[in-house]
Amino acid sequence: MKKILIKNGILVSSKKCEKKDVLIYGEKIKKVEKNIKPEKDVEVIDAKNKYIFPGFIDGHTHFDLSVAGTTTIDDFKSGTLAAIVGGTTTIVDYGTQYKGETLDRGYKNWMKKASKGVSCDFGIHMSISDVNKKVLSEVKNMIKKGITSFKLYTTYDIKLEDDDMYKCMEEIGKNKGVVGIHCENDGLIKELREEVKGSDNKKVKSHYLTRPSVAEAEAINRMAYFANLAKTPFLAVHVTCEEALNEVKLARKRGYEVYAETCPQYLYFDNSVYNKNFDEASKYVCAPPLRYKKDIKALWDGIKNGDIDIVSTDHCSFTKKQKALGKNDFRKIPGGLNLVEHRAVFIYKGVVDKKITIEKMCEVLCENPAKIFGLYKNKGYIKEGYDADIVIFDPNTDTIYDEKNQMTKSDYCVAKGVTFKGAIDKVLLRGEVVVDSIEEGDLYYNIVKENKGKFVKRSIYKKFR
Ligand code: DUC
Ligand code: ZN
């Protein structure tokens, strides 16, 4: 059995940072203590001046997903490779049950997509788009298979009507699952998009003007009421703005079990990018869209104050050519950004800028996603018996953003030209060093061991707040 000892690093948890060593036996963490003496057959990794995080968990990716008449450029192979290089040791991807399919069919389709090799561990949430008795009866079985979270949409062609929405929530809650909801008022958006005429059809900014904050806030408010009635824990996915976050806070004040997720794009970019030329502006099209500077502040404050529980990416990547499908009609631009490999360093920028602490970074990237998504038995923490999923993070090396340094198959980088402090130094996936950064003169590159990931059967939801 392989033994690894990580020495001299600063161990990060949501509670504190402390100098501790980590001893790993095979796939598991054996011991976490100060000054562990190396046994004779152990490989020692020196993490001096570096942080030791639990492997990051990204609970919101879309790999190999059909969107707006095209398919995301990252499949499970390239998407999980990008994830692991960015320190994400577990992703949970949104599998979809399309109309006419059983849930089991949708699940099997997604497992097949993931069967060509994955470089980090993965789970699957199931998005339900077609509700009937058979489908509802399958929820229990999905949960038994470790698919313990589901997604429902209030918009797009897979949106559910209120009665179906409620039926799903009840079934999920009864079986101790979690429901994530894409919250935007469909009717409002439909009408606003209908009203766009003439040359405005070609303007990317029509995208964000027709998906206003109130559409998101209204849907979160309603879904919180529904989920509470159905006794189901509800995760508001990709919360983008102050108005929406206020609805989360109000629901919690009423005692509802509501969680909130945001994404790095909403913490860095504002809607002024939609005024750029089409090729540039379309890179930032996502739904809900980027908002205002005041919203960026509200979201960082929300993380700091515990109103936002997790930061995931909603990685949904396209090429410039795919984005150009909407050149003549903003409605046809495939929505999504491509930050699965950049999330940790983006969030660390918030630590450098003193918006949040490093402990909070650990909470929203590791511990809380582990709790919400049923990974809490093996992942999200560095403690004895847990999977040895570990990120050694170097705060003294910079990350320089450029599409040439990316693993995603997407041919652009939305942070191109930016340099952020902090870099992923090494990543261990269940005890194996799968990413190792090497510096040679001015050159800095990663050695990656691919295809080491496996499916994770997740546990049922347990209330934690
Ligand atoms: N939003 C996006 O921008 N892309 C994929 C799905 C979603 O909800
Ligand atoms: Zn999404």
Side-chain angles (χ1 to χ4, degrees):
M1 181 178 41
K2 174 109 181 145
K3 295 178 186 173
I4 294 178
L5 176 60
I6 305 173
K7 275 198 79 65
N8 309 319
I10 305 156
L11 192 75
V12 188
S13 75
S14 68
K15 302 277 180 302
K16 58 183 165 192
C17 284
E18 53 190 339
K19 257 193 142 182
K20 274 195 175 168
D21 300 340
V22 183
L23 179 63
I24 297 161
Y25 275 15
E27 296 201 338
K28 298 284 180 185
I29 294 167
K30 177 73 180 164
K31 208 196 283 182
V32 186
E33 267 174 27
K34 286 196 167 104
N35 299 319
I36 300 177
K37 297 262 170 308
E39 300 165 23
K40 65 172 181 337
D41 53 347
V42 82
E43 177 190 329
V44 177
I45 296 175
D46 185 8
K48 192 161 190 265
N49 298 327
K50 291 173 187 153
Y51 290 114
I52 306 173
F53 280 98
F56 303 123
I57 297 168
D58 189 342
H60 192 154
T61 64
H62 298 286
F63 297 148
D64 205 350
L65 179 74
S66 302
V67 178
T70 186
T71 304
T72 56
I73 192 68
D74 283 313
D75 54 13
F76 270 83
K77 203 164 172 56
S78 64
T80 56
L81 187 57
I84 198 80
V85 165
T88 294
T89 48
T90 309
I91 60 107
V92 192
D93 196 79
Y94 281 102
T96 303
Q97 170 233 13
Y98 293 109
K99 292 211 191 312
E101 285 178 357
T102 60
L103 269 194
D104 195 53
R105 180 72 265 153
Y107 157 76
K108 284 186 177 134
N109 287 344
W110 245 258
M111 288 300 277
K112 190 161 174 223
K113 285 172 194 271
S115 67
K116 294 167 210 145
V118 287
S119 292
C120 68
D121 284 355
F122 74 100
I124 292 173
H125 320 272
M126 281 311 298
S127 298
I128 306 177
S129 74
D130 197 356
V131 183
N132 53 50
K133 276 203 177 118
K134 158 89 180 133
V135 166
L136 290 169
S137 74
E138 286 183 283
V139 165
K140 190 176 183 175
N141 203 25
M142 282 292 123
I143 291 179
K144 272 199 197 133
K145 285 187 203 289
I147 312 297
T148 53
S149 45
F150 298 81
K151 190 176 187 188
L152 310 174
Y153 287 79
T154 61
T155 187
Y156 296 137
D157 53 358
I158 56 173
K159 104 182 233 282
L160 296 186
E161 295 303 331
D162 286 353
D163 50 351
D164 284 342
M165 185 72 83
Y166 185 73
K167 281 183 214 164
C168 287
M169 286 177 179
E170 275 190 318
E171 202 56 35
I172 294 164
K174 205 165 72 192
N175 289 290
K176 302 213 178 324
V178 178
V179 67
I181 307 186
H182 177 123
C183 294
E184 285 185 292
N185 182 300
D186 191 60
L188 189 55
I189 292 169
K190 233 186 222 158
E191 176 52 23
L192 291 172
R193 281 154 77 100
E194 194 67 27
E195 287 173 11
V196 177
K197 300 279 183 257
S199 62
D200 285 346
N201 282 317
K202 290 191 172 190
K203 292 185 185 151
V204 178
K205 76 172 183 189
S206 296
H207 169 73
Y208 97 83
L209 291 171
T210 57
R211 304 188 90 98
S213 299
V214 292
E216 185 182 341
E218 186 275 346
I220 289 185
N221 171 39
R222 255 163 39 82
M223 290 304 109
Y225 276 113
F226 274 47
N228 184 61
L229 195 66
K231 298 190 180 65
T232 305
F234 156 44
L235 170 68
V237 300
H238 48 46
V239 171
T240 68
C241 58
E242 190 178 9
E243 293 82 349
L245 190 55
N246 283 342
E247 295 301 335
V248 170
K249 290 194 229 174
L250 283 171
R252 280 186 184 162
K253 267 199 185 137
R254 295 191 295 268
Y256 295 5
E257 216 171 330
V258 177
Y259 300 100
E261 169 198 81
T262 193
C263 313
Q265 53 270 35
Y266 303 118
L267 293 163
Y268 283 95
F269 306 116
D270 66 72
N271 55 27
S272 61
V273 295
Y274 297 130
N275 295 321
K276 296 181 177 196
N277 65 51
F278 179 89
D279 291 345
E280 273 308 305
S282 59
K283 293 174 184 171
Y284 300 88
V285 165
C286 54
L290 304 176
R291 306 292 189 191
Y292 295 89
K293 288 200 167 60
K294 62 111 185 155
D295 297 305
I296 293 180
K297 177 165 183 346
L299 294 178
W300 278 113
D301 287 346
I303 297 177
K304 184 172 146 198
N305 300 331
D307 300 321
I308 290 175
D309 303 283
I310 58 173
V311 180
S312 317
T313 57
D314 196 5
H315 183 91
C316 190
S317 58
F318 300 98
T319 60
K320 290 184 263 187
K321 196 170 163 204
Q322 287 177 298
K323 287 279 182 179
L325 290 168
K327 195 127 197 166
N328 294 319
D329 182 353
F330 75 91
R331 300 167 192 84
K332 296 192 174 140
I333 304 170
L337 272 83
N338 51 6
L339 290 169
V340 78
E341 65 198 281
H342 303 319
R343 181 180 57 141
V345 175
F346 265 54
I347 300 310
Y348 184 68
K349 169 84 171 113
V351 175
V352 172
D353 293 345
K354 302 205 172 351
K355 289 176 173 145
I356 57 167
T357 62
I358 195 150
E359 289 86 356
K360 184 54 87 173
M361 174 171 165
C362 182
E363 190 178 331
V364 297
L365 297 188
C366 312
E367 295 183 14
N368 283 350
K371 288 172 185 167
I372 294 174
F373 299 125
L375 293 158
Y376 49 82
K377 284 187 185 158
N378 300 307
K379 298 184 183 288
Y381 297 84
I382 298 180
K383 57 180 171 188
E384 198 185 319
Y386 270 58
D387 285 356
D389 294 345
I390 289 173
V391 175
I392 302 182
F393 188 90
D394 184 353
N396 301 309
T397 296
D398 291 343
T399 297
I400 302 163
Y401 291 100
D402 192 288
E403 62 270 10
K404 292 191 198 91
N405 308 335
Q406 293 187 144
M407 285 292 178
T408 168
K409 285 206 244 159
S410 183
D411 54 358
Y412 61 86
C413 173
V414 286
K416 187 181 173 74
V418 170
T419 300
F420 279 169
K421 268 214 145 332
I424 305 298
D425 181 51
K426 286 183 180 36
V427 182
L428 282 80
L429 178 66
R430 281 176 283 101
E432 188 166 2
V433 179
V434 288
V435 178
D436 200 354
S437 64
I438 307 285
E439 231 178 319
E440 260 183 26
D442 284 350
L443 274 182
Y444 186 78
Y445 58 92
N446 281 319
I447 295 181
V448 189
K449 277 193 199 158
E450 293 187 39
N451 301 330
K452 297 287 178 177
K454 65 173 193 195
F455 176 72
V456 187
K457 192 172 170 198
R458 293 178 294 124
S459 304
I460 53 168
Y461 168 77
K462 265 208 291 202
K463 190 171 190 303
F464 76 95
R465 195 155 40 73

